[in-house]
Amino acid sequence: MEAPNMSPLSAGDNPLLLIHHAPKTEQKTEAGKNNNRSARFKDPLTIRDLEDQHQVIDLSNASSPASTTHPFVLSFNNLSYGVNSKLLLDDISGVAREGEIMAILGASGAGKSTLIDALAGRIEKESLKGTVTLNGAVLESRLLKIISAYVMQDELLFPMLTVEETLMFSAECRLPRSVSKKRKRERVEALIDQLGLRSAAKTFIGDEQHRGVSGGERRRVSIGIDIIHDPILLFLDEPTSGLDSTSAFKVVKVLGEIAKSGSVVIMSIHQPSYRIFSLLNRLIFLSHGQTVYSGTPATDFSLFFAEFGHPIPENENPCEFSLDLIRELEEAPSGISSLVQFNKSWQMTRNPKMASDTDHQPDVDLEDAIEASISRGKLVSAGKNKNVQTFVNPFWTEMLFLSKRSNTNSRRMPELFGTRLGAQLVIACVLATLYWQLDDSPKGTRLRLAFVAFAMTTIFYNCAREIPALLQERNIFIRETSYNAYRVSSYVLAHALASIPSMITLSLVFALTTFWAVGLAGGFSGFLFFFITMFASYWAGTSFMAFVAGFIPNIQIGFTIVVAILGLSLLFCGFYISHDEIPSYWIWFHYVSLVKYPFQGALQNEYGDPNRCFLTGLQFFDGTPFDGLPNSTKIELLQSMSNVLGRNITGSTCLTTGMKILEQKGITDISKWKCIWILVAFGFLFRVLFYFTLLFGSKNKRR
């Protein structure tokens, strides 16, 4: 697309304010800069103009060589990083260029992933020594998140979304709202073609239970969702791990095309095949955090090992040979120190150009290079008006597409909700038949108390089934928010709203199955309150499970914590031991018990009628040694008691009302509607705690 003739972007209007320039050995004059800029831009565009035109880079021609007018160069110098006195990176330096693939190789534990994290800004600045610059500029975190992408080794994807839907969601997250829906779809279609996923575009991602795309296709989808915004810097941690040789080759070949489209690609890889090795442009071999080789695979690699005294045999994979040699040296008494020292001297004496690469910077500074990349359609999520946008979409837009994705994935896995609904229905039917039509006798009261306590506890245990899904989503959330795909707050609120329909359904099914079957009181108004109690319990329960899933490391620990807390909540709810009987040092647990409030509210709904009697004179003997006596004998005993007590007690005299039962259980301190509001407040409290656990627990940075 030919750009219209517009006024140039002045230096004062430059939006890239988060760039700190590292010292340079030679400074260009302002006039020289302006001349260079004039030569590079015939009809330069402002960022606002570009966004108004909704330009998106066309990936259909991504394999063509990238423009070298403004190449990007990532330099890293003297990187060192240690944990608990163990040095994971020891004085690592190197350079990676636009249009090339830099591969970081080494055995397990060599420091490959640590170096990737250091270059990608995933290590706290206070912990990492050395410098990482792009075109001589040190990047602030916010800008780095916008112009880069990090592809994790784990494939964290929603299983029941298609390849096309997954990439489209990423486009909605990463491309600004100024880009039209049509342009976003064109971007996705072009990316599908570049990644070689056309035949799998309509196929579900899949998981262990659902058939989906192949392993190599999943890996390419994982790459695609992180490069949807066409980043300048692309970091990949073991992108070929777990793939067969053909799939791994296809993945690296795609990475080469991405590099040629104008990106700096840096990847870690364990042991590449010969074909993959031939696709790499620059290598760094690590061993125990030290550099044992840095150079090109084509011209320098064989010469290096030959001069070290271990020439690579013909017809042997050079990478496999070198890795085997490094392993042998690591196991030797002297270790790899000889190879490390030889690499340093070899770089200085035999390859001075390579030794100076780490100090080399391109002629153009970063601001101009990014302006040029924007003019080519790159970085469509870049900010305007002198600042860099942290998020490309507003809060409500993020909520909309997060809710849509969650509902789509859940709708296509009906067995998950069906299992919860089925379990709830089975439990409700068992309770309905076990406590069928309870009367107002002392036995009926005792069984009614047991029914309410068990029913409320069951709801919270049923909520625990969400923990596995929540943990899977948390991992996806960490990956997506590490580069500002959306806000933490929009995710928390969208997750809460998306769960409401299922909570309503489960509550309604349970209430309809049990309320009239058990013979609970209050008619329709009583049923309505019972349903609201169920719903409020589900709200508090799911919020609590979300909070737990926000900080636990795995499912086993999560279930252990939940079972322990819910068990104590049942113990202190007031069913097994009343409020007045709880020791003072444990009374606090009574008030934080999740089961207390639905249990108390449901009982007040049941026994709140002051005119309803639950113990008559004849029923006074139920459950005592006198229970089997004839009614006439019981009446005579009542008359004797009347004479002693000075009160006339007959067989029909009401001895206990519902309020008396509530007083005996110690649950008259809070009204039933206050119990509902406290449950709702608990739900909001846990959602807020969930927000903070995600906000502070998902930084995804090493310390």
Side-chain angles (χ1 to χ4, degrees):
M1 182 174 66
E2 185 177 358
N5 189 12
M6 299 182 184
S7 59
L9 181 67
S10 65
D13 293 332
N14 199 304
L16 303 169
L17 300 181
L18 300 180
I19 302 174
H20 300 301
H21 288 282
K24 293 186 179 180
T25 56
E26 183 178 343
Q27 298 290 337
K28 295 179 288 186
T29 64
E30 191 64 31
K33 274 181 145 184
N34 292 335
N35 290 337
N36 288 340
R37 182 175 297 182
S38 299
R40 291 191 302 268
F41 293 94
K42 244 182 196 179
D43 296 308
L45 302 176
T46 66
I47 295 176
R48 182 189 296 274
D49 294 331
L50 286 166
E51 289 190 343
D52 290 341
Q53 295 179 52
H54 312 314
Q55 288 192 7
V56 182
I57 191 169
D58 183 5
L59 284 181
S60 59
N61 298 320
S63 59
S64 62
S67 171
T68 57
T69 308
H70 295 87
F72 292 99
V73 177
L74 181 74
S75 299
F76 46 100
N77 297 283
N78 311 115
L79 296 182
S80 297
Y81 169 69
V83 176
N84 297 329
S85 71
K86 181 180 180 181
L87 204 57
L88 302 181
L89 295 179
D90 185 5
D91 196 30
I92 307 295
S93 299
V95 61
R97 302 176 183 279
E98 174 187 333
E100 297 181 348
I101 299 178
M102 168 182 274
I104 304 171
L105 300 95
S108 299
K112 302 187 299 297
S113 297
T114 305
L115 179 55
I116 288 285
D117 287 346
L119 300 179
R122 292 160 66 92
I123 297 179
E124 296 289 351
K125 290 183 178 180
E126 297 78 11
S127 304
L128 180 67
K129 297 179 181 179
T131 60
V132 181
T133 61
L134 181 63
N135 286 32
V138 178
L139 299 178
E140 289 291 341
S141 176
R142 281 203 299 157
L143 182 60
L144 180 61
K145 288 182 177 182
I146 291 175
I147 68 172
S148 66
Y150 187 102
V151 181
M152 298 181 180
Q153 185 174 346
D154 297 327
E155 296 155 346
L156 306 172
L157 305 169
F158 280 87
M160 298 312 294
L161 298 182
T162 65
V163 170
E164 187 176 57
E165 289 170 339
T166 301
L167 294 175
M168 192 63 200
F169 173 80
S170 183
E172 290 176 336
C173 285
R174 301 301 298 268
L175 303 182
R177 57 186 181 277
S178 58
V179 179
S180 67
K181 188 83 170 181
K182 179 182 177 182
R183 291 289 189 179
K184 290 178 181 178
R185 187 163 295 281
E186 289 174 353
R187 167 65 174 166
V188 169
E189 294 300 319
L191 188 58
I192 287 174
D193 289 332
Q194 187 193 24
L195 296 173
L197 295 169
R198 176 56 57 192
S199 60
K202 303 295 183 181
T203 306
F204 292 137
I205 299 298
D207 56 14
E208 294 81 0
Q209 288 78 36
H210 305 87
R211 186 176 180 84
V213 298
S214 66
E217 289 168 336
R218 283 175 63 92
R219 192 60 52 85
R220 280 177 273 161
V221 173
S222 294
I223 295 172
I225 61 178
D226 284 315
I227 66 168
I228 194 73
H229 63 305
D230 193 23
I232 292 173
L233 303 174
L234 176 58
F235 305 98
L236 305 101
D237 186 16
E238 300 272 8
T240 62
S241 176
L243 301 180
D244 60 77
S245 59
T246 301
S247 299
F249 177 74
K250 289 181 179 179
V251 167
V252 179
K253 191 174 182 181
V254 166
L255 294 178
E257 295 175 355
I258 294 171
K260 292 175 183 177
S261 71
S263 297
V264 179
V265 177
I266 302 175
M267 59 179 281
S268 62
I269 188 168
H270 183 65
Q271 191 164 344
S273 66
Y274 185 83
R275 291 197 301 167
I276 291 177
F277 191 73
S278 65
L279 297 176
L280 307 178
N281 305 107
R282 194 173 293 270
L283 307 175
I284 292 183
F285 273 76
L286 298 180
S287 176
H288 298 311
Q290 295 179 288
T291 304
V292 294
Y293 173 76
S294 177
T296 60
T299 57
D300 302 318
F301 194 73
S302 298
L303 178 62
F304 174 84
F305 284 98
E307 294 194 7
F308 182 63
H310 293 79
I312 300 174
E314 295 183 5
N315 301 323
E316 185 167 345
N317 185 334
C319 186
E320 291 182 0
F321 173 83
S322 57
L323 288 172
D324 290 341
L325 174 61
I326 293 171
R327 289 192 187 96
E328 291 178 6
L329 294 175
E330 289 175 343
E331 296 172 359
S334 59
I336 60 166
S337 57
S338 59
L339 185 56
V340 172
Q341 293 302 320
F342 177 79
N343 174 64
K344 291 180 180 180
S345 61
W346 191 84
Q347 299 288 350
M348 295 297 297
T349 59
R350 296 301 185 94
N351 201 350
K353 178 181 179 299
M354 185 66 66
S356 63
D357 269 348
T358 56
D359 297 322
H360 174 74
Q361 301 296 343
D363 293 333
V364 62
D365 63 19
L366 183 58
E367 294 178 0
D368 291 340
I370 293 181
E371 288 175 17
S373 70
I374 294 175
S375 71
R376 298 196 304 267
K378 213 173 183 67
L379 281 179
V380 291
S381 61
K384 58 185 178 181
N385 298 333
K386 298 186 178 182
N387 59 59
V388 175
Q389 291 176 312
T390 303
F391 301 98
V392 299
N393 291 296
F395 175 82
W396 295 108
T397 301
E398 293 174 352
M399 272 192 54
L400 181 63
F401 59 65
L402 283 167
S403 300
K404 179 182 177 182
R405 179 178 68 171
S406 179
N407 289 330
T408 301
N409 189 70
S410 300
R411 188 176 66 251
R412 291 173 181 172
M413 290 194 296
E415 65 275 9
L416 297 182
F417 178 72
T419 301
R420 292 188 64 192
L421 181 61
Q424 185 77 314
L425 186 59
V426 168
I427 292 174
C429 289
V430 171
L431 292 177
T433 54
L434 185 64
Y435 297 99
W436 180 265
Q437 293 298 311
L438 299 177
D439 56 23
D440 294 342
S441 66
K443 177 182 178 181
T445 297
R446 177 172 52 82
L447 294 177
R448 192 176 280 107
L449 291 172
F451 164 77
V452 173
F454 187 83
M456 301 307 163
T457 308
T458 298
I459 290 175
F460 289 101
Y461 278 110
N462 197 18
C463 293
R465 297 173 183 268
E466 292 193 356
I467 288 182
L470 286 166
L471 286 176
Q472 181 187 32
E473 279 197 31
R474 186 188 69 177
N475 294 330
I476 297 175
F477 164 87
I478 291 174
R479 185 202 67 201
E480 292 175 338
T481 55
S482 62
Y483 286 91
N484 292 346
Y486 45 80
R487 297 167 180 82
V488 178
S489 56
S490 60
Y491 171 79
V492 171
L493 189 54
H495 181 272
L497 295 177
S499 63
I500 288 178
S502 63
M503 291 190 291
I504 293 176
T505 302
L506 292 170
S507 302
L508 190 60
V509 166
F510 189 89
L512 287 172
T513 307
T514 60
F515 185 83
W516 283 287
V518 174
L520 300 182
F524 180 76
S525 61
F527 167 80
L528 186 60
F529 182 84
F530 187 72
F531 162 71
I532 293 174
T533 303
M534 298 290 105
F535 175 77
S537 299
Y538 266 113
W539 163 248
T542 54
S543 299
F544 173 69
M545 301 308 162
F547 165 58
V548 172
F551 67 86
I552 60 170
N554 56 59
I555 296 175
Q556 289 79 6
I557 294 178
F559 277 128
T560 301
I561 293 174
V562 167
V563 169
I565 292 178
L566 292 184
L568 291 173
S569 294
L570 175 60
L571 177 63
F572 286 97
C573 73
F575 173 66
Y576 290 104
I577 181 170
S578 67
H579 170 276
D580 298 333
E581 297 171 329
I582 299 175
S584 58
Y585 48 83
W586 284 120
I587 196 64
W588 62 272
F589 215 115
H590 173 72
Y591 289 105
V592 300
S593 168
L594 290 175
V595 182
K596 163 186 164 61
Y597 299 99
F599 174 73
Q600 182 168 327
L603 287 184
Q604 290 189 8
N605 187 57
E606 186 68 17
Y607 293 103
D609 186 356
N611 299 319
R612 189 175 176 187
C613 183
F614 291 91
L615 180 64
T616 62
L618 285 176
Q619 293 173 340
F620 176 78
F621 301 98
D622 291 357
T624 69
F626 305 102
D627 191 9
L629 295 175
N631 286 343
S632 58
T633 304
K634 293 179 181 179
I635 292 175
E636 291 178 1
L637 290 173
L638 289 174
Q639 291 174 349
S640 300
M641 292 173 60
S642 299
N643 295 331
V644 174
L645 297 174
R647 175 189 173 189
N648 185 30
I649 302 175
T650 65
S652 59
T653 301
C654 182
L655 300 178
T656 301
T657 62
M659 291 303 298
K660 187 66 175 179
I661 294 175
L662 295 178
E663 291 173 1
Q664 291 172 352
K665 301 302 293 184
I667 53 177
T668 57
D669 55 329
I670 303 174
S671 68
K672 66 179 185 180
W673 286 108
K674 283 186 178 180
C675 290
I676 297 298
W677 288 117
I678 290 174
L679 274 176
V680 173
F682 263 127
F684 280 109
L685 172 63
F686 288 129
R687 292 289 172 178
V688 172
L689 294 175
F690 180 44
Y691 167 81
F692 283 110
T693 56
L694 293 180
L695 183 65
F696 297 109
S698 61
K699 295 299 183 182
N700 209 21
K701 280 191 175 184
R702 304 192 192 202
R703 296 188 178 275

